Amino acid sequence: MEEARAAQLLKLLQGVGQARSLQDLAESVLRFALGLVPQAQAGSVLLLNEFLERYEFVAAVGWDLDKLRALSFPKDKLVQHLAYGDKPAIIPNILELDRTFWGPDVVEKLKEVGPVAATLTLPLWVEEKLIGYLNLDHPTDPKVFSEEDLGKVVVYQDIFAGLLEQGRHVEALRENASLFRLLFERLADAVYITAFDGTILEANPAAERQTGYSRAELIGKNIMRDIAAEEPAMTYEKANELLARGETVVFEEKKRRKDGSFYWTECGVVQFLYKGQLATISVNRDITERKKLEEELAQKVEALSALNRAVAALTSQLERRKVVQALVDLARSLTQAEYANVLLFDEEGNVLEAIDPLGAPPLPLRMRSRGFTHHILSTGKPLLIEEIKPDGSCVPEVRAEDG
């Protein structure tokens, strides 16, 4: 007896070892169960979809699996649960019981698959959790199964359940890995997998486009030292502390591309296991345009505030020098200049006074006939000089009307 059972288990393990999917695994278990009860002419495996909370067919022998897959059943509303309390049982005319619980529409769809006169059902329990049912069926004889037949299958109940639960986990991992790879490759945002010291272990195509580095160049670089242009709003030490507690960390960071140009990213970082070791995965969204708009908005707000302050100062002053001083301060604030100066002229163009705010180098009161000040005064046009060289030439070059 023991030798026979060992041979049966070896046959089951061979089938399981060759399985390449949950369906293959479930079919191997099902064919083994059918071999234990030769009078059964068909069978199926129902497993719980925990996300939908519905039982779905994952394998069938002797039935059209495609038709069965079009059907699913709400959790806790199967005949096996409502009438038999989720215990191993022999159920005659299960479709008639289904009609009582489900109504005629579902039963007609089940009848399209084929007639069922008797069902031997085996609930699949894993650590007090019901994950599904294994059913063996006969189309015409409601009395074909015996308690002895039921006992032959019950012996393997825990083995079947354990194998199918592992199959569910492997299938879920495979699907998650496929989904992760799809998102990783197709996501428009840069994604990095990094060690906790900042070493880049993996990067997606969007990271190549965002940084200008190839994937081969990115891997091995340190995202903190080689790509970040300055310390982020949150230090890496603080970020790692939060990550270790299982929190998601979000911060903004200025980065440097391969060509030396700068850009801003919003980073969302979480901790996860990568190849058996703790690592982080970060999604980096380019927010450079947003930062520019924020900066422009801040400048406009500051300009309005400066205008308000200047108006208040101007309306409260009668002395000319203090009024002009307020205007100089306003000009410096609006242009974000380090220094600002104002020269006052009389009607003939002679310099009356230079107003130099605190910190600005003093302007000479003498005006040269060929200098910038004279040029501005004579043309009435503003002048923007990017650079004045030691030899007196400037960029861009400035020419008087006479050349």
PDB file of all heavy atoms in Angstrom, residues 365-378:
ATOM      1  N   LEU A 365      30.604 112.191 -10.438  1.00  0.00           N
ATOM      2  CA  LEU A 365      29.693 113.248 -10.872  1.00  0.00           C
ATOM      3  C   LEU A 365      30.099 113.821 -12.231  1.00  0.00           C
ATOM      4  O   LEU A 365      29.325 114.519 -12.877  1.00  0.00           O
ATOM      5  CB  LEU A 365      29.645 114.360  -9.826  1.00  0.00           C
ATOM      6  CG  LEU A 365      29.002 113.960  -8.491  1.00  0.00           C
ATOM      7  CD1 LEU A 365      29.011 115.140  -7.539  1.00  0.00           C
ATOM      8  CD2 LEU A 365      27.578 113.479  -8.709  1.00  0.00           C
ATOM      9  N   ARG A 366      31.324 113.497 -12.681  1.00  0.00           N
ATOM     10  CA  ARG A 366      31.767 114.021 -13.975  1.00  0.00           C
ATOM     11  C   ARG A 366      31.268 113.091 -15.089  1.00  0.00           C
ATOM     12  O   ARG A 366      31.392 111.872 -14.995  1.00  0.00           O
ATOM     13  CB  ARG A 366      33.287 114.088 -14.006  1.00  0.00           C
ATOM     14  CG  ARG A 366      33.856 114.689 -15.307  1.00  0.00           C
ATOM     15  CD  ARG A 366      35.362 114.799 -15.200  1.00  0.00           C
ATOM     16  NE  ARG A 366      35.980 113.487 -14.974  1.00  0.00           N
ATOM     17  CZ  ARG A 366      36.276 112.634 -15.965  1.00  0.00           C
ATOM     18  NH1 ARG A 366      35.987 112.952 -17.218  1.00  0.00           N
ATOM     19  NH2 ARG A 366      36.853 111.502 -15.689  1.00  0.00           N
ATOM     20  N   MET A 367      30.699 113.651 -16.156  1.00  0.00           N
ATOM     21  CA  MET A 367      30.187 112.859 -17.260  1.00  0.00           C
ATOM     22  C   MET A 367      31.092 113.046 -18.478  1.00  0.00           C
ATOM     23  O   MET A 367      31.292 114.163 -18.949  1.00  0.00           O
ATOM     24  CB  MET A 367      28.748 113.284 -17.605  1.00  0.00           C
ATOM     25  CG  MET A 367      28.132 112.446 -18.729  1.00  0.00           C
ATOM     26  SD  MET A 367      26.359 112.733 -18.917  1.00  0.00           S
ATOM     27  CE  MET A 367      26.360 114.479 -19.359  1.00  0.00           C
ATOM     28  N   ARG A 368      31.640 111.956 -18.983  1.00  0.00           N
ATOM     29  CA  ARG A 368      32.514 112.016 -20.142  1.00  0.00           C
ATOM     30  C   ARG A 368      31.692 112.207 -21.420  1.00  0.00           C
ATOM     31  O   ARG A 368      30.591 111.647 -21.553  1.00  0.00           O
ATOM     32  CB  ARG A 368      33.348 110.731 -20.256  1.00  0.00           C
ATOM     33  CG  ARG A 368      34.324 110.538 -19.107  1.00  0.00           C
ATOM     34  CD  ARG A 368      35.189 109.299 -19.278  1.00  0.00           C
ATOM     35  NE  ARG A 368      34.387 108.065 -19.188  1.00  0.00           N
ATOM     36  CZ  ARG A 368      34.197 107.228 -20.192  1.00  0.00           C
ATOM     37  NH1 ARG A 368      34.726 107.487 -21.376  1.00  0.00           N
ATOM     38  NH2 ARG A 368      33.491 106.145 -20.029  1.00  0.00           N
ATOM     39  N   SER A 369      32.227 112.908 -22.353  1.00  0.00           N
ATOM     40  CA  SER A 369      31.488 113.205 -23.585  1.00  0.00           C
ATOM     41  C   SER A 369      31.302 111.973 -24.461  1.00  0.00           C
ATOM     42  O   SER A 369      30.421 111.951 -25.323  1.00  0.00           O
ATOM     43  CB  SER A 369      32.211 114.310 -24.387  1.00  0.00           C
ATOM     44  OG  SER A 369      33.524 113.862 -24.748  1.00  0.00           O
ATOM     45  N   ARG A 370      32.152 110.934 -24.254  1.00  0.00           N
ATOM     46  CA  ARG A 370      32.026 109.724 -25.071  1.00  0.00           C
ATOM     47  C   ARG A 370      31.694 108.507 -24.209  1.00  0.00           C
ATOM     48  O   ARG A 370      31.955 107.380 -24.611  1.00  0.00           O
ATOM     49  CB  ARG A 370      33.340 109.467 -25.817  1.00  0.00           C
ATOM     50  CG  ARG A 370      33.840 110.613 -26.677  1.00  0.00           C
ATOM     51  CD  ARG A 370      32.975 110.823 -27.902  1.00  0.00           C
ATOM     52  NE  ARG A 370      33.137 109.738 -28.858  1.00  0.00           N
ATOM     53  CZ  ARG A 370      32.492 109.670 -30.024  1.00  0.00           C
ATOM     54  NH1 ARG A 370      31.616 110.615 -30.342  1.00  0.00           N
ATOM     55  NH2 ARG A 370      32.693 108.677 -30.845  1.00  0.00           N
ATOM     56  N   GLY A 371      31.076 108.712 -23.048  1.00  0.00           N
ATOM     57  CA  GLY A 371      30.785 107.589 -22.149  1.00  0.00           C
ATOM     58  C   GLY A 371      29.360 107.059 -22.294  1.00  0.00           C
ATOM     59  O   GLY A 371      28.533 107.583 -23.030  1.00  0.00           O
ATOM     60  N   PHE A 372      29.091 106.025 -21.545  1.00  0.00           N
ATOM     61  CA  PHE A 372      27.764 105.394 -21.581  1.00  0.00           C
ATOM     62  C   PHE A 372      26.667 106.359 -21.139  1.00  0.00           C
ATOM     63  O   PHE A 372      25.600 106.430 -21.741  1.00  0.00           O
ATOM     64  CB  PHE A 372      27.741 104.145 -20.668  1.00  0.00           C
ATOM     65  CG  PHE A 372      28.640 103.031 -21.124  1.00  0.00           C
ATOM     66  CD1 PHE A 372      29.380 102.304 -20.206  1.00  0.00           C
ATOM     67  CD2 PHE A 372      28.750 102.717 -22.468  1.00  0.00           C
ATOM     68  CE1 PHE A 372      30.209 101.274 -20.614  1.00  0.00           C
ATOM     69  CE2 PHE A 372      29.573 101.684 -22.892  1.00  0.00           C
ATOM     70  CZ  PHE A 372      30.307 100.956 -21.964  1.00  0.00           C
ATOM     71  N   THR A 373      26.938 107.095 -20.056  1.00  0.00           N
ATOM     72  CA  THR A 373      25.909 107.989 -19.525  1.00  0.00           C
ATOM     73  C   THR A 373      25.532 109.046 -20.560  1.00  0.00           C
ATOM     74  O   THR A 373      24.347 109.328 -20.778  1.00  0.00           O
ATOM     75  CB  THR A 373      26.402 108.662 -18.235  1.00  0.00           C
ATOM     76  OG1 THR A 373      26.796 107.654 -17.302  1.00  0.00           O
ATOM     77  CG2 THR A 373      25.315 109.503 -17.615  1.00  0.00           C
ATOM     78  N   HIS A 374      26.529 109.624 -21.193  1.00  0.00           N
ATOM     79  CA  HIS A 374      26.267 110.624 -22.225  1.00  0.00           C
ATOM     80  C   HIS A 374      25.476 110.007 -23.389  1.00  0.00           C
ATOM     81  O   HIS A 374      24.559 110.638 -23.947  1.00  0.00           O
ATOM     82  CB  HIS A 374      27.592 111.219 -22.728  1.00  0.00           C
ATOM     83  CG  HIS A 374      27.403 112.371 -23.672  1.00  0.00           C
ATOM     84  ND1 HIS A 374      27.157 112.213 -25.010  1.00  0.00           N
ATOM     85  CD2 HIS A 374      27.392 113.726 -23.444  1.00  0.00           C
ATOM     86  CE1 HIS A 374      27.001 113.386 -25.586  1.00  0.00           C
ATOM     87  NE2 HIS A 374      27.145 114.337 -24.643  1.00  0.00           N
ATOM     88  N   HIS A 375      25.837 108.783 -23.748  1.00  0.00           N
ATOM     89  CA  HIS A 375      25.147 108.106 -24.847  1.00  0.00           C
ATOM     90  C   HIS A 375      23.667 107.911 -24.515  1.00  0.00           C
ATOM     91  O   HIS A 375      22.805 108.148 -25.362  1.00  0.00           O
ATOM     92  CB  HIS A 375      25.819 106.752 -25.117  1.00  0.00           C
ATOM     93  CG  HIS A 375      25.188 105.959 -26.217  1.00  0.00           C
ATOM     94  ND1 HIS A 375      25.374 106.237 -27.551  1.00  0.00           N
ATOM     95  CD2 HIS A 375      24.341 104.886 -26.163  1.00  0.00           C
ATOM     96  CE1 HIS A 375      24.680 105.382 -28.279  1.00  0.00           C
ATOM     97  NE2 HIS A 375      24.052 104.548 -27.455  1.00  0.00           N
ATOM     98  N   ILE A 376      23.391 107.453 -23.286  1.00  0.00           N
ATOM     99  CA  ILE A 376      21.997 107.234 -22.867  1.00  0.00           C
ATOM    100  C   ILE A 376      21.241 108.560 -22.841  1.00  0.00           C
ATOM    101  O   ILE A 376      20.097 108.656 -23.298  1.00  0.00           O
ATOM    102  CB  ILE A 376      21.951 106.549 -21.480  1.00  0.00           C
ATOM    103  CG1 ILE A 376      22.579 105.152 -21.561  1.00  0.00           C
ATOM    104  CG2 ILE A 376      20.523 106.439 -20.964  1.00  0.00           C
ATOM    105  CD1 ILE A 376      22.833 104.515 -20.208  1.00  0.00           C
ATOM    106  N   LEU A 377      21.894 109.592 -22.314  1.00  0.00           N
ATOM    107  CA  LEU A 377      21.242 110.892 -22.187  1.00  0.00           C
ATOM    108  C   LEU A 377      20.935 111.495 -23.559  1.00  0.00           C
ATOM    109  O   LEU A 377      19.878 112.080 -23.781  1.00  0.00           O
ATOM    110  CB  LEU A 377      22.137 111.833 -21.380  1.00  0.00           C
ATOM    111  CG  LEU A 377      21.498 113.144 -20.920  1.00  0.00           C
ATOM    112  CD1 LEU A 377      20.337 112.864 -19.983  1.00  0.00           C
ATOM    113  CD2 LEU A 377      22.534 114.016 -20.229  1.00  0.00           C
ATOM    114  N   SER A 378      21.848 111.308 -24.507  1.00  0.00           N
ATOM    115  CA  SER A 378      21.665 111.909 -25.825  1.00  0.00           C
ATOM    116  C   SER A 378      20.683 111.139 -26.692  1.00  0.00           C
ATOM    117  O   SER A 378      19.960 111.723 -27.504  1.00  0.00           O
ATOM    118  CB  SER A 378      23.009 112.020 -26.550  1.00  0.00           C
ATOM    119  OG  SER A 378      23.571 110.724 -26.719  1.00  0.00           O
TER     120      SER A 378
END
